[in-house]
Amino acid sequence: MKTTSRIFSLATLLAAGLGFSACSDNSSNAVIDEPEVNPTAHTYFVTLDASKGSDASGIAANDKGILRALSESGNVLTATWAAGEEVTVYNNTQSAALTGTLTAQSSGESVVLKGELTSETAIKTGDELLLKFCSDDYTSQNGTLAYIAANCDYATATVTVSSVTSSSFTVNEIATFESQQAIIKFTLKDASTAATINPSAFTISDGTSTMTLSDIPSSTYTTNGDGIIYVAFPASGSSATISLTATVDETTYTFEKTGITFSNAEFWPITVSMARQSSSLPEGAIGGKFTVDASGTQVYFSQGNLQATYDGDGDALSDWTWKFAEHQYDYIGDASKTANGNGNITVNGVLMLSAAGTIDLFAYEGASSLVKATTSKETKWYGINNSTTQGDYGTVANEALMDDWGNLAITNGGNAANSGWRTLTGGANGEWAFLFNTRETGGKVGETDQARYTEATIYTDDTDDTGVNGIILFPDGVDFASSEFAHLDRVNGISNWATKCTSAQWTALEAKGCVFLPAGGNRAGTEGTTVKDAGSQGYYWSSNNSSSISAYQMRFNSYEVKFTSANRSYGRNVRLVREVK
């Protein structure tokens, strides 16, 4: 514990806007300069007894008591001394600071404090001494009790000198320390979804002073529990309007309540439902960040697979509307998926369906594609074609898409052409493969570090009767407990959809940035409009091709995940990404 060269009162600190950066003596509003070394200074060897406070069994919520060396049991904080902790001393009667410290000789609720103190003036019988334990790094809090106990604890006691000799003084009372701060245990929830939120930054303000936890690590929530942070707050003890701000990726949450009083020596367990504010996330994006190459490029995934809806009026590109699926687990599949038929099985030539409908299985149109309509119509058809002639989709190896699906104006993805969406690259060294096999930026899921994905069934309605098979992708740097799943099975490997999530659990996982790729099946190009394997196989196009007739894809089922190629005439799902800026 360092000896401070200036002593400030709490009122002075708050008035200066520094209420969270240093400790207070509560002794005077004056700033007292430490006197210069005096050859006649008096040195005293001191031994005295100290306790953690009158509440020896711990501090229940909102009950006064000392908050030190902290551990929690239910709504009670238990506080004890740790051997070696240091206490500074200030003479209230003479308005003078003593140099040196008293040190706890053991650990426990009651300890002996011993040390050597120097005073520029002689200590006198009857002098009132202020003893202060203070670790003052409030601004670097990480949201855990362990950090608060080691770095933010602030407690004081007053004792009266009962006798003095030339080399020592004594007191006849136990130094009973009382806390000079409140500790708040926040459980943070999204007000709209009731899902817990784990912010990386958190700000609390009482209208006079503001404190920000600017870099909360994911390990905080592994230690505390999902959505829980602890904050030490040097409290004013008066009614105030408390404002909270939490940041989760690019999303901001806020909360405000008037008439709140945080008093010294109080412990407050509080659940807060925070309002989600407008996000700086791109429209249509999921909040999780995913590294997709060795240079560290990160992307956001779209909120669902790409869908194209035909109005039934003609065969021009203007007769189509492009959007992302409403939910990540949505897919069109085959006719059994919808009561009124299915767009994927009614593709009827170039840019045509036999009736109005929605599709989400597209062929791969290479830059050399021969598929064209009349000269009055667009020639870039984005794979809406049931031709079984392989050469119609391009005949040049290693060529790019004729036009990336991400260049479209997507109604719920910004509704502007060329707005930044794109398709991931494929092949053994492509972005899809890196995402699944190479990425080392994942968090921890259960007991697995560097977690990247798990095969899962997500139940999609409130009764949890309807399940969708697919793959959950875990975002960079986010940790998940096993308890966040109905059942957590193999991570970073195949498992026959053995990981299970209820609808409520999936909502919470999605709020933390998880991506889900449903097993949406495929449209067989050699058979025109036949849709197969919906619910059991997933196929997703890449942005590059592998030969004159095939292109790279990411393919998965209950027993494998592969990065292979497929004929360009085959219909595949498309999932777009945008790079994190």
Side-chain angles (χ1 to χ4, degrees):
M1 181 76 197
K2 297 185 294 183
T3 301
T4 54
S5 60
R6 292 178 183 269
I7 310 299
F8 298 83
S9 74
L10 184 59
T12 303
L13 289 169
L14 290 174
L18 300 174
F20 306 109
S21 61
C23 295
S24 162
D25 278 323
N26 284 344
S27 54
S28 169
N29 285 335
V31 176
I32 301 172
D33 291 320
E34 192 160 323
E36 297 179 357
V37 176
N38 187 326
T40 62
H42 301 266
T43 299
Y44 302 93
F45 297 93
V46 181
T47 300
L48 57 85
D49 295 324
S51 79
K52 75 180 204 61
S54 58
D55 182 17
S57 62
I59 306 102
N62 304 334
D63 284 345
K64 289 185 178 294
I66 173 63
L67 303 178
R68 306 193 355 80
L70 303 168
S71 60
E72 184 183 13
S73 176
N75 284 339
V76 173
L77 290 180
T78 300
T80 57
W81 288 93
E85 289 183 329
E86 297 180 327
V87 170
T88 59
V89 181
Y90 182 83
N91 191 326
N92 282 342
T93 302
Q94 299 188 27
S95 298
L98 280 66
T99 58
T101 60
L102 303 178
T103 303
Q105 301 300 297
S106 61
S107 299
E109 294 178 355
S110 297
V111 298
V112 171
L113 299 178
K114 182 183 294 186
E116 181 179 311
L117 301 173
T118 299
S119 175
E120 299 304 319
T121 59
I123 299 292
K124 299 177 180 179
T125 300
D127 280 358
E128 182 185 77
L129 304 181
L130 174 71
L131 280 59
K132 180 177 67 174
F133 176 88
C134 178
S135 298
D136 60 0
D137 190 4
Y138 286 104
T139 57
S140 297
Q141 291 184 65
N142 67 1
T144 64
L145 270 178
Y147 184 93
I148 292 172
N151 300 281
C152 311
D153 202 357
Y154 178 23
T156 64
T158 56
V159 295
T160 301
V161 176
S162 57
S163 63
V164 183
T165 70
S166 60
S167 60
S168 66
F169 64 80
T170 60
V171 298
N172 290 332
E173 59 191 307
I174 294 175
T176 301
F177 280 75
E178 293 183 356
S179 177
Q180 301 301 308
Q181 66 185 5
I183 292 179
I184 307 104
K185 176 186 179 181
F186 289 105
T187 300
L188 304 175
K189 293 182 177 291
D190 184 322
S192 60
T193 66
T196 52
I197 59 175
N198 293 336
S200 57
F202 182 78
T203 298
I204 177 171
S205 174
D206 64 358
T208 301
S209 299
T210 300
M211 178 175 61
T212 298
L213 283 65
S214 59
D215 189 18
I216 305 173
S218 58
S219 59
T220 289
Y221 306 106
T222 302
T223 300
N224 296 347
D226 200 30
I228 296 173
I229 59 173
Y230 294 87
V231 180
F233 194 96
S236 65
S238 59
S239 177
T241 297
I242 301 297
S243 300
L244 308 177
T245 302
T247 302
V248 181
D249 293 320
E250 277 69 33
T251 302
T252 299
Y253 294 85
T254 60
F255 174 85
E256 185 173 286
K257 189 173 181 65
T258 59
I260 299 297
T261 302
F262 290 139
S263 298
N264 290 338
E266 290 187 343
F267 171 51
W268 293 77
I270 302 174
T271 297
V272 180
S273 294
M274 305 190 72
R276 181 191 288 233
Q277 304 302 307
S278 57
S279 172
S280 58
L281 276 173
E283 183 182 355
I286 299 298
K289 298 177 183 179
F290 297 82
T291 300
V292 293
D293 61 27
S295 66
T297 301
Q298 285 186 307
V299 300
Y300 302 114
F301 276 82
S302 60
Q303 71 176 48
N305 288 350
L306 186 65
Q307 296 181 343
T309 298
Y310 175 54
D311 63 12
D313 291 339
D315 59 355
L317 196 60
S318 60
D319 294 310
W320 292 83
T321 301
W322 300 80
K323 65 180 180 180
F324 296 132
E326 181 180 359
H327 306 106
Q328 293 202 68
Y329 47 73
D330 291 340
Y331 66 90
I332 305 300
D334 57 22
S336 64
K337 197 79 163 61
T338 58
N340 299 317
N342 176 274
N344 284 325
I345 64 174
T346 60
V347 175
N348 188 25
V350 178
L351 202 67
M352 289 286 290
L353 296 188
S354 58
T358 300
I359 70 171
D360 66 355
L361 296 172
F362 306 94
Y364 183 104
E365 297 279 2
S368 65
S369 172
L370 301 176
V371 176
K372 293 181 174 25
T374 65
T375 56
S376 64
K377 298 170 185 173
E378 293 284 345
T379 58
K380 300 175 181 178
W381 301 136
Y382 300 96
I384 305 172
N385 184 7
N386 69 343
S387 171
T388 60
T389 302
Q390 296 174 349
D392 283 349
Y393 298 90
T395 58
V396 177
N398 301 317
E399 66 180 347
L401 284 161
M402 178 174 279
D403 205 342
D404 193 301
W405 290 280
N407 294 337
L408 291 157
I410 300 167
T411 57
N412 56 356
N415 204 27
N418 304 304
S419 60
W421 293 104
R422 67 175 179 85
T423 310
L424 289 172
T425 62
N429 298 313
E431 292 171 326
W432 275 119
F434 187 95
L435 179 73
F436 276 84
N437 292 342
T438 310
R439 182 167 54 115
E440 295 183 351
T441 52
K444 184 175 182 180
V445 177
E447 299 302 317
T448 303
D449 293 317
Q450 303 303 335
R452 297 183 289 275
Y453 71 96
T454 185
E455 289 196 335
T457 301
I458 292 177
Y459 293 93
T460 59
D461 60 15
D462 292 336
T463 62
D464 289 331
D465 290 332
T466 303
V468 176
N469 295 331
I471 285 182
I472 296 174
L473 296 174
F474 298 112
D476 290 356
V478 181
D479 295 346
F480 300 87
S482 299
S483 59
E484 296 181 62
F485 306 81
H487 174 71
L488 177 63
D489 208 271
R490 186 178 179 186
V491 176
N492 298 340
I494 52 92
S495 66
N496 194 24
W497 328 118
T499 293
K500 309 293 183 183
C501 298
T502 67
S503 54
Q505 287 171 331
W506 170 243
T507 297
L509 292 171
E510 186 177 46
K512 293 176 69 172
C514 286
V515 163
F516 185 68
L517 303 172
N522 76 98
R523 181 166 55 83
T526 55
E527 300 172 24
T529 60
T530 301
V531 175
K532 299 179 176 181
D533 303 323
S536 62
Q537 303 259 8
Y539 303 82
Y540 287 79
W541 279 128
S542 303
S543 62
N544 50 324
N545 74 63
S546 55
S547 73
S548 60
I549 61 170
S550 54
Y552 288 116
Q553 64 176 353
M554 185 276 292
R555 173 189 176 186
F556 64 85
N557 50 40
S558 63
Y559 53 87
E560 65 181 359
V561 177
K562 285 194 172 183
F563 310 93
T564 58
S565 60
N567 192 284
R568 300 187 197 185
S569 66
Y570 291 174
R572 302 291 191 245
N573 286 132
V574 171
R575 190 64 172 270
L576 299 177
V577 301
R578 285 184 68 151
E579 293 186 14
V580 177
K581 302 299 184 184

